[in-house]
Amino acid sequence: MTFSIAAREASTGRFGLAITTSSLCVGSRCPFARADVGAVLTQHRTDPRLGPIGLDLLSQGQSADQTLAILTEGRDDSKWRQVAVVDAQGRTAAYHGSEIYSIHGHAAAEGAIALGNILASDRIPQAMLDGYLDSPDRPFETRLMLALQAGLDAGGELKPVRSAAILIVDKDPFPWMDLRIDRADDPVAELADLVNAYAPTADGFRVRVVNPEVVANDAELVALNAAMSNM
């Protein structure tokens, strides 16, 4: 009951994932990414342990296919899982367990993969991939959200979606963007609004981490600190 996309932005090397589902708090369980390493999506009877393990494997030089094989082969519970991987070269891989009884599948291109389960239609993964690929000049976060919206417009899953999330990593050990709508009647639209509001500030929040001296000299913040000290 989830549909999602994971991608590597070729021009920057950033990794991004966007996901939505009828369950609550999808962003806390399913999308995983690490700068310069790759991205992992784990869904359908979700096992969030697979995300960090997959990223560790990718960091050791395993390809997307090799990582997926290690995550799924020889495990009795793999038959319940759906997993996708994107590696540092933009190669993709997907796994669909034999016990996923619903409409499910994936669509992939260089550097991007969309997948879903308990879907209203088998066209949804390709619709998501097209939504991402059809706007190559738009910002990365916008393209990921366009993919989610395209999946929703194509029918989405069998139940109304209730949560959505986006995760983007750039060059740091912390995310460039990590936004979630944990419960809402229209989480994709709410997430899109939040992304549009947050994106212009994302680089500034990064500067606060890597170069706080610049922020300390910001005139607006200096004035704010002065006003607060006088309260």
Side-chain angles (χ1 to χ4, degrees):
M1 54 184 180
T2 304
F3 52 99
S4 56
I5 186 167
R8 177 183 181 272
E9 187 178 39
S11 61
T12 65
R14 294 190 297 174
F15 292 94
L17 311 92
I19 186 167
T20 188
T21 187
S22 58
S23 298
L24 305 183
C25 307
V26 68
S28 67
R29 300 185 304 276
C30 298
F32 298 86
R34 189 179 300 168
D36 299 321
V37 171
V40 178
L41 281 164
T42 169
Q43 52 197 53
H44 193 272
R45 307 288 174 91
T46 304
D47 183 353
R49 297 172 297 181
L50 299 181
I53 295 171
L55 294 176
D56 286 343
L57 291 168
L58 291 170
S59 72
Q60 296 163 13
Q62 302 286 346
S63 69
D65 281 331
Q66 291 168 332
T67 296
L68 193 68
I70 295 170
L71 290 177
T72 58
E73 290 180 1
R75 296 173 57 105
D76 289 340
D77 61 353
S78 292
K79 61 188 177 183
W80 299 105
R81 315 299 187 191
Q82 186 177 50
V83 185
V85 180
V86 182
D87 66 24
Q89 285 70 50
R91 296 170 296 195
T92 66
Y95 173 84
H96 310 278
S98 60
E99 290 294 331
I100 303 177
Y101 56 86
S102 59
I103 295 175
H104 63 278
H106 73 277
E110 184 176 357
I113 187 166
L115 72 164
N117 60 80
I118 314 185
L119 299 173
S121 165
D122 59 8
R123 297 178 289 105
I124 289 163
Q126 188 61 53
M128 294 182 68
L129 187 65
D130 291 343
Y132 174 78
L133 295 174
D134 287 349
S135 302
D137 297 327
R138 303 288 294 276
F140 190 35
E141 64 274 11
T142 302
R143 299 176 70 193
L144 293 169
M145 291 307 304
L146 287 171
L148 273 196
Q149 187 61 53
L152 198 60
D153 292 344
E157 59 174 272
L158 293 181
K159 295 181 179 180
V161 295
R162 288 289 179 257
S163 66
I166 185 170
L167 172 63
I168 297 174
V169 295
D170 191 353
K171 56 181 71 68
D172 305 297
F174 54 87
W176 182 80
M177 177 179 287
D178 184 3
L179 304 177
R180 305 172 183 183
I181 304 297
D182 285 337
R183 186 176 69 175
D185 291 334
D186 194 354
V188 174
E190 290 196 22
L191 183 61
D193 287 343
L194 186 58
V195 167
N196 289 337
Y198 182 83
T201 72
D203 289 334
F205 284 120
R206 178 181 183 271
V207 170
R208 286 163 168 77
V209 177
V210 301
N211 195 358
E213 291 83 1
V214 172
V215 179
N217 294 323
D218 182 274
E220 182 178 350
L221 288 178
V222 169
L224 178 61
N225 286 334
M228 293 180 64
S229 66
N230 294 325
M231 292 180 63

